[in-house]
Structure formats: structure tokens, C-alpha cells
Amino acid sequence: LLKKFTGQVLDVSFAHANSNLLAVIDQGGNLYVYDLDIANGDVTKISNCMKLHLCRSNVADELEHRLVWCPYVPQSEDEDMEENLIIAISHGKQAEVYDITEVLSCFPTGVVEKARLKSGVACVTEAHN
């Protein structure tokens, strides 16, 4: 079971149909990305699978938080689908687009506070609601 969320879970999404990468956004606007390595089809044995935890502070609880993986189409059959991991999340009228691979290269532990993130993110502050 996946735990330690701030408030309710508001949105979940796999990176693509055959992906083990699951993104979750909670009521606090925190983003969690899990690499679900399911051994022998037993989903109850998921542990230590968090790839990224993007912590936020000062986010109003009344905001709607949503997420969507950006589709990636490999140029050839040999190219890895997990190579280009882009996710967009929204908080009310603000949208943020993250390059997960770049964020993880700067923070290999996978735990980062949004305020400390200097690269791997693009923000739109006045998107429509």
C-alpha cells in the first residue's frame, strides 16, 4: 500500500498503458512518482518503490491539483519508453511541467522541496482554471 500523503489523494496516473511508473498528487499539492516493481504479479509486495517525492509548502488546500503525463512516442522500436519522463501538474490557475529525469539527476535521493528546484521545471502562473 502507498502511504504518507498529505490529506486526500486527488489524482493518479500511470505514465502510459504498459508503464510501472505511477504518479500521485495529494491535497497538499505534493507529487509522488512510484516505480512499481511488481514481483510475480503480487501487488501487495510493493515497498521502497518511490522514485520522486516533490514536496510543496504554502499551497492552499482548496486548490484543485491535477496531473497528466506528457505522451512520448519513441523514434524507433529500440528506444526506451521511460527515457523521456515529462509530467504536468496543476494547482488552481498555476501549471508546472517537470522533466523527471532531469530533476532526479539533480536530486538523486528523489526527495526535493519545490522551492529548491532550479532546473527541470517550467511554470505557467496564470493558466485558465
Side-chain angles (χ1 to χ4, degrees), residues 49-103:
C49 61
M50 187 179 300
K51 188 175 183 97
L52 176 68
H53 177 195
L54 182 66
C55 312
R56 301 185 62 87
S57 59
N58 302 326
V59 174
D61 282 342
E62 70 271 5
L63 291 178
E64 286 292 317
H65 307 288
R66 298 288 177 234
L67 63 88
V68 62
W69 288 96
C70 299
Y72 174 66
V73 178
Q75 300 298 317
S76 71
E77 288 184 23
D78 298 332
E79 198 171 348
D80 187 10
M81 287 287 287
E82 304 297 337
E83 216 169 274
N84 190 7
L85 301 173
I86 307 293
I87 194 167
I89 61 176
S90 66
H91 313 282
K93 291 185 178 185
Q94 180 176 340
E96 301 164 349
V97 179
Y98 292 91
D99 180 333
I100 301 297
T101 304
E102 186 172 340
V103 171

Side-chain angles (χ1 to χ4, degrees), residues 29-62:
N30 301 297
L31 174 67
Y32 306 82
V33 178
Y34 298 94
D35 188 356
L36 304 178
D37 185 17
I38 302 169
N40 300 324
D42 189 354
V43 76
T44 61
K45 297 200 184 223
I46 296 172
S47 63
N48 300 321
C49 61
M50 187 179 300
K51 188 175 183 97
L52 176 68
H53 177 195
L54 182 66
C55 312
R56 301 185 62 87
S57 59
N58 302 326
V59 174
D61 282 342
E62 70 271 5

